[in-house]
Amino acid sequence: MSAILPFFGREIRLDKHHKLADSLLNLEKVMREVNVWQMPTPSAQALASQQPFCIDTMGFDQWLRFVMLARFKSMIAQGQTLPTHSNIAPMAEEFYKAQDAQTKVAVVNALKALDLCLNEE
């Protein structure tokens, strides 16, 4: 579904790709604000993991930054079909439960918005 908004005398279409791009920018902003953005780049071997969230080769923060964000950005840039279902926020809730409340709430809320964007029809 896409929304059409007036913009300086012309219409712009806000489709799922645009909404996802906004959600990804917000997630990056939030991760920077709560200081979970700076980390080592995973090795090529770590990035090749076949496990969900690359749980066997990297931390969840690394997966968000170097796998999920990178893949979604590539999909958007290439105009590829986006997933129709996402449920990343519960994994973040589990990962961040030992972190301070500000970090947990900020990142989990950003991921809930991303999940909602992808789950919309």
Side-chain angles (χ1 to χ4, degrees), residues 16 19-24 26-27 53 60 63-64 68 72 82-93 107-121:
K16 195 171 191 175
K19 289 179 185 178
L20 180 60
D22 287 345
S23 291
L24 296 175
N26 183 58
L27 176 60
F53 305 104
F60 185 71
W63 179 83
L64 284 175
M68 189 201 77
F72 279 143
L82 299 174
T84 57
H85 183 73
S86 178
N87 203 19
I88 300 167
M91 180 64 177
E93 287 175 341
V107 176
V108 169
N109 284 344
L111 287 169
K112 283 181 180 179
L114 188 143
D115 285 345
L116 182 64
C117 171
L118 290 173
N119 293 334
E120 288 180 342
E121 296 202 17

Side-chain angles (χ1 to χ4, degrees), residues 11-95:
E11 294 180 344
I12 59 169
R13 187 171 300 276
L14 294 179
D15 64 10
K16 195 171 191 175
H17 285 74
H18 292 107
K19 289 179 185 178
L20 180 60
D22 287 345
S23 291
L24 296 175
L25 287 172
N26 183 58
L27 176 60
E28 180 177 335
K29 176 180 155 278
V30 165
M31 290 178 72
R32 288 178 185 276
E33 288 173 352
V34 297
N35 297 314
V36 296
W37 184 256
Q38 295 295 79
M39 65 194 70
T41 302
S43 68
Q45 182 180 357
L47 290 167
S49 170
Q50 297 300 306
Q51 296 296 312
F53 305 104
C54 298
I55 197 77
D56 60 332
T57 60
M58 66 183 76
F60 185 71
D61 289 335
Q62 283 181 305
W63 179 83
L64 284 175
R65 179 175 175 190
F66 295 106
V67 178
M68 189 201 77
L69 282 167
R71 285 184 185 163
F72 279 143
K73 286 178 180 180
S74 176
M75 291 174 80
I76 290 168
Q78 295 174 19
Q80 294 178 347
T81 301
L82 299 174
T84 57
H85 183 73
S86 178
N87 203 19
I88 300 167
M91 180 64 177
E93 287 175 341
E94 182 65 27
F95 178 80

